[in-house]
Amino acid sequence: MSYVMAAELQAALYGLLSADAGVSALAEVHDALPPGDEPELYALIGPEQVRDRSDQTGTGAEHELTISILARQPGFGGAKALAAAICDAIGGTPPALARGRIVYLTFHKARAARVETDDRRRIDLIFRARLEDD
């Protein structure tokens, strides 16, 4: 198993989403909680689970990663628009990594819910990425 490309994958996704015109027109992307006041709408690259996918030809891993959309807006409209823009951005050609390569990067599932403690909305987009090391 290899977790050596996890930081590369996160940096590549952050760069891809931050540079995408459709995503950046709607909100900022963060890979840590934003400092100061929480924005009305933002995306947060978050948790992941990784499984070994090594075989006789080399080292590899499957990453199941979550990108959360957090909104302090009424309804899900803004959050769903941002979720769609993120899916569009990720659905294209996978970004290059400095080490290894992305074999595939696909949408797996989503979960939308109201945050019960206040009037916020949250959508968790879950993607799967298969990585191979050089």
Side-chain angles (χ1 to χ4, degrees), residues 50-72:
V50 181
R51 293 172 187 83
D52 181 28
R53 291 296 181 251
S54 300
D55 57 27
Q56 293 176 344
T57 64
T59 303
E62 183 180 65
H63 294 244
E64 187 173 283
L65 54 107
T66 303
I67 299 174
S68 298
I69 290 87
L70 298 138
R72 291 188 299 134

Side-chain angles (χ1 to χ4, degrees), residues 34-39 72:
D37 292 336
E38 182 180 16
R72 291 188 299 134

Side-chain angles (χ1 to χ4, degrees), residues 1 9-10 20 22 58 90 95 114 121 126:
M1 182 207 170
L9 177 60
Q10 182 160 340
D20 184 82
I90 290 178
R114 279 186 227 175
R121 308 296 191 260
I126 299 161

Side-chain angles (χ1 to χ4, degrees), residues 10 12 31 38 41 67 69 75 84-85 90 94 100 104 112 120 123 133:
Q10 182 160 340
D31 62 358
E38 182 180 16
L41 177 66
I67 299 174
I69 290 87
I90 290 178
Y104 62 78
R120 289 189 299 155
I123 299 174
D133 201 359

